């Protein structure tokens, strides 16, 4: 049993030791229902990247609800694994928004954007250097036309990956923010990866929004064949 503080620091809880085999969508739904018994849940964040697997953040509208959840749900089995709950080190974005802490929220967003820009710049420089030494075979017009004519599918196919992007963690980070993202199935020797989503519509939205060039100048992202 954790030591519940007299004054809750904020309304965001960090939940760990979650069964990693459960889909993101299903887990979000179940956590929302379980934690919703002890107060109004305004946000549930489940991360599926390699670094964040088995972890989630739950934000309540009222910080006092955290006390109830801590005392009632600590060690409770969820999908056959006892979950561990503590206050998150930092309040979630949703928590800051509810408390009108807009200055801190904007500061946090700026830091994230700056970090992303730096990572993109480094990746671009590495890609440029790689292209100078060995160019990835180009996709022919006929191949491109063929792949783009494939019918919608909840699985996407990412082809012509560069050596720098042939890491599951790198690809997972790129897709993790999209709704319904499930997992990456990387096939290194073929320089391709299958990207699984819960629903076909979610895969379609990702296909429209993501910039595939981050995986290489010749990278091709399409629906996978059914």
């Amino acid at each position: 049993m954790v030591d519940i503080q007299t004054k809750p620091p904020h309304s965001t809880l960090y939940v760990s030791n979650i069964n990693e085999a459960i889909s993101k969508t299903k887990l979000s739904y179940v956590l929302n229902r379980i934690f919703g018994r002890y107060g109004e849940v305004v946000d549930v964040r489940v991360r599926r990247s390699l670094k964040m697997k088995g972890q989630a953040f739950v934000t309540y509208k009222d910080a006092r609800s955290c006390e109830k959840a801590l005392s009632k749900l600590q060690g409770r089995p969820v999908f056959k694994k006892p979950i561990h709950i503590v206050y998150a080190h930092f309040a979630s974005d949703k928590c800051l928004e509810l408390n009108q802490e807009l200055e801190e929220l904007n500061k946090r967003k700026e830091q994230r954007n700056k970090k992303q820009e730096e990572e993109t710049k480094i990746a671009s420089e590495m890609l440029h250097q790689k292209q100078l030494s060995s160019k990835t075979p180009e996709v022919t017009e006929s191949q491109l036309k063929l792949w783009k004519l494939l019918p919608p599918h909840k699985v996407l196919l990412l082809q012509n990956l560069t050596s720098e992007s042939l890491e599951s963690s790198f690809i997972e980070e790129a897709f993790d923010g999209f709704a319904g993202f499930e997992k990456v199935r990387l096939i290194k020797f073929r320089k391709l990866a299958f990207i699984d989503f819960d629903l076909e519509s979610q895969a379609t939205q990702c296909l429209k929004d993501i910039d595939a060039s981050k995986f290489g100048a010749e990278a091709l992202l399409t629906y996978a064949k059914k």
Side-chain angles (χ1 to χ4, degrees):
M1 184 68 68
V2 297
D3 180 22
I4 298 175
Q5 303 175 34
T6 305
K7 269 190 166 183
H10 50 68
S11 59
T12 302
L13 295 174
Y14 167 67
V15 188
S16 59
N17 199 44
I18 302 172
N19 192 325
E20 298 178 9
I22 309 303
S23 73
K24 185 176 179 179
T25 301
K26 185 175 183 179
L27 187 56
S28 297
Y29 174 76
V30 170
L31 290 179
N32 212 313
R33 288 198 62 180
I34 293 174
F35 281 84
R37 297 169 185 167
Y38 306 100
E40 183 180 346
V41 175
V42 294
D43 192 39
V44 174
R45 296 281 177 176
V46 176
R47 304 298 299 275
R48 300 295 292 177
S49 63
L50 287 176
K51 294 180 181 178
M52 296 293 288
K53 274 187 176 181
Q55 303 169 63
F57 295 89
V58 177
T59 299
Y60 282 104
K61 184 175 182 179
D62 178 11
R64 292 290 177 181
S65 298
C66 291
E67 295 180 342
K68 298 177 186 176
L70 275 165
S71 62
K72 298 292 184 180
L73 296 177
Q74 191 68 255
R76 171 182 172 151
V78 176
F79 296 112
K80 300 181 180 181
K81 287 190 70 174
I83 58 174
H84 179 63
I85 313 168
V86 295
Y87 281 104
H89 288 307
F90 302 100
S92 68
D93 288 1
K94 189 66 177 179
C95 183
L96 295 178
E97 183 182 322
L98 287 172
N99 294 329
Q100 295 293 305
E101 297 179 47
L102 302 183
E103 184 177 346
E104 178 62 27
L105 181 61
N106 290 331
K107 181 181 177 182
R108 183 181 291 182
K109 288 181 178 179
E110 287 175 5
Q111 290 174 339
R112 275 201 213 105
N113 290 336
K114 184 177 179 181
K115 182 180 179 181
Q116 186 174 8
E117 287 173 2
E118 291 174 349
E119 290 176 347
T120 301
K121 183 179 179 181
I122 293 172
S124 297
E125 290 175 351
M126 291 176 65
L127 177 60
H128 178 65
Q129 291 298 322
K130 180 66 177 180
Q131 289 173 336
L132 290 177
S133 58
S134 60
K135 186 174 177 58
T136 306
E138 295 184 0
V139 180
T140 65
E141 289 186 12
S142 59
Q143 287 176 318
L144 184 61
K145 184 178 180 180
L146 175 64
W147 284 109
K148 289 192 173 181
L149 287 175
L150 288 173
H153 190 11
K154 68 177 183 178
V155 179
L156 299 181
L157 175 61
L158 182 60
Q159 304 181 71
N160 298 339
L161 292 165
T162 60
S163 299
E164 290 77 11
S165 56
L166 279 173
E167 293 295 337
S168 294
S169 57
F170 176 77
I171 301 172
E172 284 183 348
E173 288 292 340
F175 285 93
D176 192 51
F178 289 93
F181 168 67
E182 275 299 310
K183 62 183 177 181
V184 170
R185 290 178 285 140
L186 179 63
I187 304 177
K188 283 193 173 184
F189 77 94
R190 294 181 62 188
K191 296 186 177 180
L192 61 80
F194 292 97
I195 317 299
D196 294 343
F197 284 83
D198 282 334
L199 302 173
E200 184 181 286
S201 59
Q202 294 167 330
T204 298
Q205 190 61 50
C206 174
L207 192 57
K208 290 179 180 178
D209 295 341
I210 196 168
D211 178 12
S213 65
K214 67 176 66 180
F215 304 107
E218 303 299 329
L220 177 61
L221 181 64
T222 64
Y223 294 114
K225 292 181 180 179
K226 289 189 177 181

